[in-house]
Amino acid sequence: MGLFKRKEHWERTFRLRSNQSSGRSILSVLFWLWGIAGLVFNAGTLFGLTGNIGVGTSAYLTARCLVWIGGMVLFGVGALLAHTDFDGERPMEEDYGNVRVTR
């Protein structure tokens, strides 16, 4: 099972560094702005209703919420799929000078 085995030691030979594009940052900011603003406006409209709510008002609120959810999905998926560039790096080998090992 591996409970009592020694911990494996891994040699670090390769490291990935991600460079995000500006498009991803812009879409992330739009995602948060659209989400917070839409939530405030939709909640304000919903809590501001008084009296009887008819079919027309209900359909209007539903359409408005669907547009808000659509924007959230659009900006959220766009931010996730925006181009991210990965650079691979290898650590430099240690320099021991002019040392030769022979048998």
Side-chain angles (χ1 to χ4, degrees):
M1 255 172 69
L3 290 175
F4 300 107
K5 287 185 179 179
R6 289 185 186 176
K7 183 179 176 184
E8 295 182 19
H9 296 284
W10 295 87
E11 180 182 354
R12 193 177 103 193
T13 59
F14 197 74
R15 182 176 66 183
L16 284 177
R17 184 180 58 185
S18 68
N19 300 320
Q20 294 183 359
S21 64
S22 60
R24 185 178 191 130
S25 301
I26 291 169
L27 286 171
S28 296
V29 168
L30 286 175
F31 173 79
W32 283 102
L33 289 176
W34 184 268
I36 292 170
L39 184 63
V40 167
F41 287 132
N42 285 333
T45 303
L46 184 63
F47 292 132
L49 294 175
T50 58
N52 293 334
I53 299 173
V55 176
T57 306
S58 176
Y60 172 71
L61 288 176
T62 303
R64 197 166 153 179
C65 286
L66 283 176
V67 169
W68 175 60
I69 291 170
M72 292 293 293
V73 170
L74 175 73
F75 295 134
V77 170
L80 288 175
L81 294 179
H83 179 68
T84 302
D85 187 24
F86 290 102
D87 290 335
E89 296 178 343
R90 288 190 184 271
M92 303 234 354
E93 293 182 13
E94 296 179 17
D95 185 19
Y96 295 109
N98 192 8
V99 177
R100 294 183 187 191
V101 178
T102 59
R103 286 189 171 196

